[in-house]
Structures are given as structure tokens and as C-alpha cells.
Amino acid sequence: MNPYIEILRPGNALMGAISIILIALIDKTISIPIILAIITVFFETAAGNVINDYFDYNIDLINKPNRPIPSGRISLKNGRDYAYLLFLAGTICGFLISYLTNNWIPFIIVIIADIVLYLYAYKLKSTPLIGNLAVGFMTGFGFVFGGYTINNPSIVTTSIFLGFFAFVMTTAREIIKDIEDIKGDEKDGAKTLPILIGEKIPAIIAVILIIIDCALCPLLYYYHIFGILYLAIIAISVIIFIYSAILIIKSQDENTAHKSSKYLKIGMLIAFLAFALGSLF
């Protein structure tokens, strides 16, 4: 794969764009601003991935040496400039959305995203818990961005609820990923939560967050946001979430943390499918 495509982590960036697609499905609408919103989230997520790889060069030399920058396929300078170009593209798309809809909240959200994504890569990533919360915040922000792009009050409310769900589960996964990456982070001098207080308490925090989200899942059916098909599919996600929680609470070694993180990601993908199909049936 071309390193300039690989560094975007296109699958990850597309997953971010799914938040907009889901909100559009819930509202049963498609428009130029919605298409621009999908492109915006893709660019912003990709920019965050690239600038993160730029600042994480030393950590990735240990944890992920095959990535484009640590492997030497993309220079540090080119990686940084590439990230700036992606941020600019996302910001321009955000401006166009607000211009077309005469609603400047989406543009403000994109500007906030630019700042948070950069600060996360530069400083917040190594700040205990704050870095995890920043990633969760940005994941949830995608849903809210979609809601305000459509700018229907009921859709905005739904987008905030879905954004909160994504925020909580993503924060849990980021904490578990810190447990997984503890060796590389220690060598680079990072001060993540598992490094400062050990792996057990962060694992407990992650499990609490997972349980909170599992408890929230039925509410979307109870308040008639989604139909019965949602309830059937989200049950699969809940089972996977609980299994992931059991794994990480029993053991916090690197391999177990990797498995737990992977299962959380799978569970979230199935949850997104539940959101999509639940809005149609």
C-alpha cells in the first residue's frame, strides 16, 4: 500500500465518517452538506492520525516500527506537512457546510476538532486520563457534528445521545490501549494512567465505562429512537462488550489488553450497524 494512503489509516477514518452516515440514515435524508460532512470527518480523522504518527515517532519505533514514518517511508517533515494539508482540507469543507446551511455551528465544531486533535497528538496523549477523554470526545463529536449539519432539533438530541455512547466506549478502549502499550510508553517517558498507578485501576475504570454504555443501550429502543431490530442487534454488541470487560479485569497483560481492545472495536462496529438498521426498521 502507498505509505501516504496507509498513514491515513483509511479504515479508521472511514469508521469516523460512519457517524455522519448513521445520523443521515436516522433522519432519512441526503444532501450536499451531509456529503461534505462525511468528507470533513474523513479528512479530520485522517489528519489526526497523521499528526499523531508525527509526534509519536519515538514511541512507534518501539510499538509500531512498520508504520510509514518510523519505517522511513515518509519523512518526519513530509508527515507533518501532510497532516497540515489534511487539516486545511477538513476546515474548508466545514466552512462550506456552514456557508451552505447558514448555520455556523458545524464550522465551529471543525475548528474545535482541529485544536483538540493537534493538542492531543502534541501533549494530551501523554497526559493521564485527559488524553483518553480527548479521543473519546472527538469520536462522540462526529455524531454531534452530523446532528448540527442537519440542524433538526430532534436529530440534534439523538446525535448528542449517540455521541455520548461513542465517547464513553471509546474512552474505555483508549484506557485499555494504554495498558497494551505500556512498554513503549514507558521507554518514551509518557505518563499514561497505567504507568502512574499500575494496570489494575485503569482496567477497573474501563470496565465501569463499558458497563455504563451497556446500561444505556436499551434506552434508544425504550424512547422509540430505534426499532425492535436495533434491540436484537445491540444485544450482540452488549455480549461482546461484557466479554471484553471480563478479559481485561481478569488480566492486564499486553496480549489480553490487545484482545480486549479488539473486541471493543468489533462491538462498536456492530453497535453502529444496530443504529443504522434500527433507524430503518
Side-chain angles (χ1 to χ4, degrees), residues 113-165:
D114 288 337
I115 294 169
V116 173
L117 286 167
Y118 186 88
L119 288 178
Y120 169 78
Y122 173 62
K123 196 72 176 176
L124 296 180
K125 184 179 184 346
S126 59
T127 305
L129 195 58
I130 299 299
N132 309 128
L133 291 169
V135 177
F137 174 77
M138 288 310 305
T139 304
F141 225 31
F143 288 96
V144 178
F145 177 59
Y148 277 105
T149 295
I150 294 171
N151 207 28
N152 176 320
S154 65
I155 294 299
V156 169
T157 301
T158 299
S159 73
I160 291 172
F161 192 103
L162 296 182
F164 182 75
F165 171 90

Side-chain angles (χ1 to χ4, degrees), residues 62-128:
I62 299 166
N63 287 336
K64 282 138 184 154
N66 293 323
R67 282 185 173 175
I69 293 178
S71 68
R73 288 176 291 154
I74 296 178
S75 70
L76 270 173
K77 180 181 181 300
N78 286 349
R80 180 199 64 195
D81 293 345
Y82 191 32
Y84 291 163
L85 182 63
L86 291 164
F87 276 126
L88 178 61
T91 303
I92 290 171
C93 287
F95 174 82
L96 289 174
I97 291 168
S98 288
Y99 179 78
L100 290 172
T101 61
N102 196 30
N103 168 26
W104 292 99
I105 294 179
F107 181 60
I108 293 170
I109 289 175
V110 173
I111 295 297
I112 293 172
D114 288 337
I115 294 169
V116 173
L117 286 167
Y118 186 88
L119 288 178
Y120 169 78
Y122 173 62
K123 196 72 176 176
L124 296 180
K125 184 179 184 346
S126 59
T127 305

Side-chain angles (χ1 to χ4, degrees), residues 32-53:
I32 296 299
I34 284 294
I35 293 171
L36 283 171
I38 292 170
I39 297 170
T40 301
V41 173
F42 181 88
F43 279 144
E44 290 291 310
T45 305
N49 289 336
V50 177
I51 199 67
N52 191 65
D53 282 7

Side-chain angles (χ1 to χ4, degrees), residues 1-273:
M1 183 185 292
N2 183 292
Y4 284 94
I5 296 176
E6 182 184 341
I7 198 171
L8 299 178
R9 300 204 272 288
N12 179 274
L14 284 171
M15 186 176 173
I18 285 174
S19 60
I20 307 299
I21 297 171
L22 289 173
I23 294 299
L25 284 172
I26 293 168
D27 192 53
K28 297 178 176 60
T29 186
I30 187 68
S31 63
I32 296 299
I34 284 294
I35 293 171
L36 283 171
I38 292 170
I39 297 170
T40 301
V41 173
F42 181 88
F43 279 144
E44 290 291 310
T45 305
N49 289 336
V50 177
I51 199 67
N52 191 65
D53 282 7
Y54 168 76
F55 283 114
D56 272 4
Y57 172 71
N58 291 323
I59 293 175
D60 285 345
L61 280 174
I62 299 166
N63 287 336
K64 282 138 184 154
N66 293 323
R67 282 185 173 175
I69 293 178
S71 68
R73 288 176 291 154
I74 296 178
S75 70
L76 270 173
K77 180 181 181 300
N78 286 349
R80 180 199 64 195
D81 293 345
Y82 191 32
Y84 291 163
L85 182 63
L86 291 164
F87 276 126
L88 178 61
T91 303
I92 290 171
C93 287
F95 174 82
L96 289 174
I97 291 168
S98 288
Y99 179 78
L100 290 172
T101 61
N102 196 30
N103 168 26
W104 292 99
I105 294 179
F107 181 60
I108 293 170
I109 289 175
V110 173
I111 295 297
I112 293 172
D114 288 337
I115 294 169
V116 173
L117 286 167
Y118 186 88
L119 288 178
Y120 169 78
Y122 173 62
K123 196 72 176 176
L124 296 180
K125 184 179 184 346
S126 59
T127 305
L129 195 58
I130 299 299
N132 309 128
L133 291 169
V135 177
F137 174 77
M138 288 310 305
T139 304
F141 225 31
F143 288 96
V144 178
F145 177 59
Y148 277 105
T149 295
I150 294 171
N151 207 28
N152 176 320
S154 65
I155 294 299
V156 169
T157 301
T158 299
S159 73
I160 291 172
F161 192 103
L162 296 182
F164 182 75
F165 171 90
F167 162 70
V168 172
M169 194 58 75
T170 302
T171 301
R173 183 167 181 262
E174 287 299 310
I175 292 172
I176 292 171
K177 284 170 65 179
D178 278 351
I179 296 172
E180 178 187 356
D181 293 339
I182 193 168
K183 290 180 182 177
D185 289 342
E186 279 180 328
K187 290 182 180 179
D188 195 60
K191 302 296 182 184
T192 61
L193 206 60
I195 291 173
L196 290 179
I197 62 176
E199 296 97 324
K200 191 67 177 181
I201 294 177
I204 292 171
I205 294 172
V207 168
I208 291 171
L209 293 174
I210 291 169
I211 291 171
I212 289 171
D213 253 9
C214 288
L216 287 174
C217 285
L219 293 180
L220 293 170
Y221 173 75
Y222 179 79
Y223 286 108
H224 308 292
I225 295 173
F226 297 134
I228 189 67
L229 186 57
Y230 159 79
L231 203 60
I233 298 174
I234 203 67
I236 300 172
S237 288
V238 169
I239 291 169
I240 295 172
F241 291 151
I242 292 173
Y243 179 66
S244 175
I246 291 171
L247 282 177
I248 198 62
I249 204 68
K250 287 176 67 176
S251 175
Q252 295 83 47
D253 64 85
E254 183 178 340
N255 289 335
T256 302
H258 175 74
K259 288 179 183 178
S260 179
S261 172
K262 181 181 71 174
Y263 284 126
L264 281 184
K265 187 173 185 178
I266 293 170
M268 288 179 71
L269 286 171
I270 295 173
F272 290 160
L273 178 64

